[in-house]
């Protein structure tokens, strides 16, 4: 979920009311620390595919994305060809956007380049984690679309060959992967802690 999406506050949830898939994502995944090369590549890719769309649209297509991008295994994603891009552009189960598909492949290649340099996406991604908040956000209006860390992350990943990953997308990925905790103080997730 990006800071631009309007929350549904029937349960005090930050977002996700009204759809069981969306609510489950909010309650069990959003803000939970994510580690691992395939896991982070998936989140980077899906945040890129979400750009300009609802996160719920991406969630509904996530299983298909996982299938067509081989579980986001970086080596398999990096090996996709121009013919694969054309095939994926015909697959109605995913978001059919050439730039986003090609960016996902380029991002898989960037992960492999990191590995060749003796580094991991996990260590690079998590190196941008800000200090933990001292208190939960009081209102949705306090949530930002970017941060100094997301700006720095987007710049660093671009330099490493990642595509379709600007500061706003980076911040959404930071929220989704638990680098920042943007659950509201009234959220059932926060209240259950």
């Amino acid at each position: 979920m990006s800071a631009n999406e309007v929350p549904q506050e029937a349960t005090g949830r930050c977002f996700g009311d009204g759809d069981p898939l969306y609510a489950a994502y909010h309650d069990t995944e959003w803000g939970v620390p994510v580690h691992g090369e395939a896991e982070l590549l998936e989140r980077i890719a899906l945040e890129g595919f979400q750009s300009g769309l609802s996160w719920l649209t991406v969630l509904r297509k996530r299983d298909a994305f996982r299938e067509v991008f081989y579980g986001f295994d970086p080596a398999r994603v990096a090996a996709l060809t121009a013919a694969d891009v054309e095939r994926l552009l015909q697959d109605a189960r995913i978001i059919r956007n050439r730039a986003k598909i090609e960016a996902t492949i380029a991002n898989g290649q960037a992960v492999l380049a990191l590995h060749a340099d003796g580094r991991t996406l996990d260590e690079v991604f998590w190196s941008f984690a800000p200090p933990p908040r001292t208190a939960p956000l009081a209102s949705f209006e306090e949530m930002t679309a970017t941060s100094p860390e997301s700006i720095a992350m987007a710049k660093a990943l671009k330099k490493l060959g990642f595509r379709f990953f600007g500061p706003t997308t980076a911040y959404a990925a930071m929220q989704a992967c638990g680098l920042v905790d943007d659950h509201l103080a009234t959220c059932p997730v926060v209240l259950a802690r």
Side-chain angles (χ1 to χ4, degrees):
M1 194 207 71
S2 70
N4 298 338
E5 292 186 47
V6 178
Q8 308 260 329
E9 298 177 350
T11 64
R13 220 181 242 118
C14 310
F15 64 89
D17 286 341
D19 185 281
L21 180 64
Y22 210 16
Y25 171 76
H26 169 272
D27 294 354
T28 64
E29 290 186 62
W30 192 68
V32 175
V34 173
H35 291 279
E37 304 301 272
E39 293 82 355
L40 289 170
L41 180 58
E42 174 185 351
R43 297 300 175 82
I44 288 171
L46 295 182
E47 291 294 346
F49 275 102
Q50 184 271 332
S51 183
L53 303 169
S54 162
W55 182 246
L56 185 55
T57 299
V58 174
L59 282 179
R60 288 179 176 149
K61 295 178 178 283
R62 182 162 61 170
D63 288 340
F65 276 117
R66 287 175 171 166
E67 179 187 329
V68 302
F69 286 111
Y70 305 107
F72 292 93
D73 175 281
R76 293 189 75 186
V77 171
L80 291 171
T81 65
D84 291 315
V85 172
E86 295 306 319
R87 177 180 49 80
L88 293 173
L89 286 169
Q90 302 306 312
D91 193 332
R93 299 174 304 146
I94 66 168
I95 295 162
R96 297 175 289 174
N97 179 296
R98 182 180 298 278
K100 294 175 182 183
I101 292 168
E102 290 175 346
T104 301
I105 296 167
N107 293 346
Q109 294 165 349
V111 173
L112 295 185
L114 276 173
H115 293 174
D117 196 34
R119 301 166 71 194
T120 67
L121 176 57
D122 195 288
E123 73 184 45
V124 170
F125 197 82
W126 277 88
S127 72
F128 293 97
R133 292 190 189 284
T134 56
L137 298 175
S139 71
F140 192 74
E141 288 73 31
E142 291 181 16
M143 194 179 298
T144 62
T146 64
S147 69
E149 295 85 1
S150 76
I151 294 166
M153 176 191 279
K155 183 177 180 181
L157 289 182
K158 181 177 182 180
K159 203 171 181 182
L160 292 168
F162 286 80
R163 294 174 28 197
F164 226 95
F165 196 73
T168 301
T169 302
Y171 193 77
M174 293 171 79
Q175 290 173 308
C177 295
L179 279 73
V180 295
D181 183 355
D182 277 352
H183 284 288
L184 301 178
T186 58
C187 179
V189 170
V190 171
L191 297 174
R193 293 181 187 155

